């Protein structure tokens, strides 16, 4: 497998046809076709199938494309880092996905310290669900993810450093008619606004309803893929939601949402640092993680009321003995 074949594979997958990819690459169609034929021969299996709308990837082609994009992204990072070493003042990039409650509590101090320490690095931050961010991490669009850890056995390609354990709870607006409910059965007629990605739907419904012997009230469940939107609407309506306990303690929800004191307990979850196992950490990523760990330690003794509430709602997972 050769580097130019990897670039051609990505181009054809992105453009959808040999003609469009050749035009984008500035090559002849014959040159591109020959290179892809050689790539298929080398892999000893077809990578594309022809359809009326153009080329489509086979299962093998899709698998190879994932690796090709990682390789291309790593090359881009390597070239950027080498350029920064050649030219003082050149801009590097660090892309980090952050789960909402960390974004609202720990992240500001990390960003302040990192940007002062690494002024030549452009920091790109993505606030979103782990189910959405994990594919971006695996594809190379993110360098780091501060998010919920995958299920055991689902992270073989990732380096995982657990940081915190927390509980989730049902939340409602202050003064909600069901604020005194004590069981999930008492919530059977409620309307819900849940913050999850579509691929998490089955697990979410099992957590909330099925494992408690309740039918899923499909007609009364709505989806918000933005945590900020979910918080705003739940605080302004009679909808309920399921959310991390530390998020209730952050400024965006504290005083507006209240946790319901249910007799039901939900399985605790863990959050940590995730990165691609085969991708070496860049210098900016190492510095970001350094400042993250330093900020976590500072937050433990902070006089800030919000940080104190957040850290009372989580368990730290042996930070002194763990390495990222």
């Amino acid at each position: 497998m050769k580097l130019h074949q990897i670039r051609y594979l990505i181009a054809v997958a992105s453009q959808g046809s040999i003609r469009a990819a050749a035009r984008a690459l500035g090559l002849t169609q014959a040159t591109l076709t020959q290179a892809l034929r050689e790539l298929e021969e080398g892999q000893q299996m077809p990578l594309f199938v022809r359809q009326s709308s153009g080329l489509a990837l086979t299962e093998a082609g899709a698998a190879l494309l994932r690796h090709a994009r990682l390789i291309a992204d790593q090359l881009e990072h390597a070239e950027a880092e080498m350029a920064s070493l050649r030219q003082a003042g050149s801009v590097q990039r660090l892309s980090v996905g952050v789960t909402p409650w960390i974004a609202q509590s720990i992240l500001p101090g990390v960003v302040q310290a990192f940007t002062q320490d690494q002024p030549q690095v452009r920091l790109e931050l993505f606030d979103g669900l782990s189910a959405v961010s994990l594919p971006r991490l695996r594809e190379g669009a993110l360098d780091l993810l501060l998010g919920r850890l995958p299920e055991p056995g689902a992270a073989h390609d990732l380096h995982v450093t657990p940081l915190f354990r927390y509980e989730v709870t049902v939340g409602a607006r202050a003064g909600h008619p069901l604020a005194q409910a004590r069981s999930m059965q008492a919530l059977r007629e409620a309307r819900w606004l849940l913050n999850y990605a579509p691929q998490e739907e089955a697990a979410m419904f099992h957590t909330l309803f099925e494992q408690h012997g309740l039918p899923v009230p499909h007609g009364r469940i709505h989806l918000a893929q933005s945590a900020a939107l979910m918080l705003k609407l739940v605080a302004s309506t009679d909808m309920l939601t399921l959310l991390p306990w530390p998020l209730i303690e952050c400024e965006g929800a504290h005083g507006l949402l209240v946790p319901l004191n249910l007799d039901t307990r939900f399985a605790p979850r863990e959050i940590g640092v995730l990165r691609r196992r085969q991708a070496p950490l860049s210098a900016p990523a190492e510095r970001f993680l350094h400042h993250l760990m330093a900020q976590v330690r500072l937050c433990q003794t902070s006089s800030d009321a919000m940080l104190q509430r957040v850290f009372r709602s989580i368990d730290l997972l042996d930070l002194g003995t763990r390495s990222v």
Side-chain angles (χ1 to χ4, degrees), residues 260-275:
L260 302 193
N261 186 22
L262 302 176
D263 55 18
T264 298
R265 299 293 294 271
F266 300 98
R269 299 175 178 177
E270 291 188 357
I271 266 188
V273 178
L274 298 98
R275 56 187 175 89

Side-chain angles (χ1 to χ4, degrees), residues 2-3 13 17 22 30 53 108 136 139 148 245 281 308 322:
K2 300 177 181 178
L3 185 56
S17 72
S53 57
R136 294 177 59 85
E139 293 168 2
R148 186 151 55 94
W245 195 287
L281 275 177
Q308 289 179 354
R322 293 180 183 269

